[in-house]
Amino acid sequence: MKLSVLDQSPIMTGLDAKEAFRQSTELAKRTDELGYYRYWVSEHHSSHSLAGSAPEILVAHLAANTNRIRVGTGGILLPHYSAYKIAESFRVLESLYPNRIDLGIGRAPGGMPNVNLALNNGRHPNVEHYPNQIRELMAYLHGEDPHGLNVYATPTGDTVPPIWMLGSSGTSARLAADIGASYSFAHFINGYGGTRAMDRYLQAFQPSIQQKEPNGLVSIFAVCADTEERAEELASTLDLAILRIESGRGNEGFPTVEEAKQQQYSVFEKERIQENRSRMIVGSQQQVKQQIEALASSYSVDEVMVNTIVHPLEDRIRSYELLAEAFQLES
């Protein structure tokens, strides 16, 4: 089974975006050494807790600082942009790093509602055009001229970055199947309904110019430590961070273990923490390994993408090291 990394470039309490990007670079280097298969970075706007507002730029930096791991976006928010421009940006990346670039796309706003207006010159994006945008994007990437205007995405080349559609619902799964793209389900966003969505994708997949067979993965929050007790201690910071996001306080940054220990929770908040644990895997090395294997089996996929947000960086890296060892990744 393949293990991959999702990195949202979190800004920890007391730190800044410069440090978040430094940590992303260090994590990419280490997971590359450990044998992880892909490393994706996300797109978030107007956020003081997630630094990655321009993932295509971060992809170029991380690919330059690694050797073999695939680097990609998780993902570009396509309705805000021209499919032609995204195609050219990723053709440049593919020319620089052949067979190492993934183009993950989504249609979420990537921030508060006003982000939509700011990214679209004061207008709301037309999400109904999203399916056609994806078809245009795939055509441009593969050297076609979808509108017959004698316009092509350059630079051209022998290799093409694959499109991955990201989603957390059955709608995105069916669209990925209809278009013939790869599909990633965000279990770390929605802990329910994912297996049905993946089944729908696998069963309804239609071959495309990009690929002949379906290809899926599932992404999950995971915290692994040398002991279950330490893993729970670290995961308590993610519990608190998610509660802050749900209550509109996401810009406060990701808390430390000390902050989480001092936090007093209401009965409702305790219930929310328990509910949100459906989006996480937490435990010792063998516990997390077994749960990841079970998750992959339930989704009928052979790749799991792990999103670990803990502080300090040493514990975050240690979590990935333990998993690499448990799954005997090729370092």
Side-chain angles (χ1 to χ4, degrees):
M1 191 174 74
K2 295 192 281 285
L3 284 187
S4 295
V5 180
L6 174 62
D7 177 15
Q8 295 178 291
S9 300
I11 302 174
M12 302 302 179
T13 299
L15 303 179
D16 57 16
K18 291 180 184 177
E19 177 61 18
F21 288 137
R22 187 195 72 80
Q23 292 188 6
S24 289
T25 305
E26 290 304 309
L27 184 61
K29 289 179 179 178
R30 185 63 182 130
T31 51
D32 183 30
E33 294 169 351
L34 291 169
Y36 281 81
Y37 190 65
R38 324 177 190 272
Y39 194 104
W40 285 359
V41 292
S42 60
E43 178 175 344
H44 291 86
H45 299 281
S46 190
S47 173
H48 297 291
S49 58
L50 300 172
S53 57
E56 65 277 25
I57 296 177
L58 189 52
V59 164
H61 170 73
L62 296 177
N65 280 275
T66 53
N67 296 309
R68 66 175 185 176
I69 196 169
R70 296 189 66 89
V71 186
T73 53
I76 293 288
L77 307 179
L78 188 59
H80 300 309
Y81 312 116
S82 154
Y84 178 67
K85 177 57 179 175
I86 296 301
E88 290 208 314
S89 295
F90 277 78
R91 285 238 50 97
V92 169
L93 287 169
E94 182 68 19
S95 296
L96 290 169
Y97 309 102
N99 290 315
R100 288 188 59 207
I101 302 299
D102 291 329
L103 172 48
I105 59 171
R107 62 180 175 185
M112 300 300 288
N114 285 343
V115 166
N116 281 325
L117 300 177
L119 286 170
N120 291 276
N121 296 315
R123 299 185 300 271
H124 287 285
N126 182 5
V127 295
E128 293 181 0
H129 186 52
Y130 182 58
N132 288 332
Q133 274 191 297
I134 303 170
R135 293 184 175 94
E136 289 175 14
L137 180 60
M138 189 177 290
Y140 279 128
L141 287 170
H142 286 265
E144 296 182 353
D145 175 18
H147 300 293
L149 299 175
N150 196 30
V151 171
Y152 301 89
T154 55
T156 58
D158 297 331
T159 60
V160 180
I163 294 174
W164 281 82
M165 289 187 59
L166 281 58
S168 56
S169 71
T171 302
S172 56
R174 186 55 189 260
L175 182 56
D178 290 344
I179 289 174
S182 295
Y183 180 63
S184 171
F185 187 86
H187 192 102
F188 75 100
I189 293 176
N190 178 12
Y192 301 99
T195 55
R196 290 194 301 274
M198 188 62 72
D199 285 344
R200 178 179 297 183
Y201 166 72
L202 295 173
Q203 293 171 12
F205 180 84
Q206 298 296 312
S208 67
I209 190 173
Q210 174 174 291
Q211 62 196 69
K212 303 307 178 187
E213 301 291 337
N215 187 22
L217 67 81
V218 57
S219 52
I220 182 80
F221 281 128
V223 180
C224 185
D226 291 283
T227 65
E228 182 180 1
E229 291 74 21
R230 180 56 177 167
E232 286 291 341
E233 190 175 55
L234 292 170
S236 68
T237 66
L238 187 54
D239 292 332
L240 176 55
I242 293 175
L243 279 182
R244 287 178 174 177
I245 292 168
E246 291 179 340
S247 63
R249 296 159 52 210
N251 280 343
E252 293 183 18
F254 286 86
T256 63
V257 169
E258 290 69 27
E259 286 180 90
K261 284 181 177 179
Q262 295 170 7
Q263 185 72 28
Q264 298 294 316
Y265 295 112
S266 67
V267 173
F268 171 76
E269 288 172 331
K270 290 178 181 178
E271 291 176 351
R272 285 305 307 158
I273 287 173
Q274 188 62 37
E275 182 74 10
N276 287 330
R277 281 299 181 101
S278 68
R279 299 151 58 183
M280 302 182 206
I281 293 175
V282 179
S284 64
Q285 185 181 51
Q286 286 307 309
Q287 288 172 326
V288 174
K289 178 178 186 290
Q290 290 170 4
Q291 291 181 65
I292 285 179
E293 288 174 335
L295 183 74
S297 177
S298 69
Y299 273 84
S300 301
V301 297
D302 66 356
E303 182 174 356
V304 174
M305 182 166 277
V306 175
N307 183 3
T308 301
I309 302 179
V310 297
H311 183 68
L313 178 62
E314 291 75 18
D315 283 307
R316 192 177 177 202
I317 290 176
R318 180 61 177 160
S319 182
Y320 285 105
E321 288 174 341
L322 288 168
L323 289 182
E325 180 183 276
F327 283 92
Q328 298 181 323
L329 300 185
E330 256 187 57
S331 61

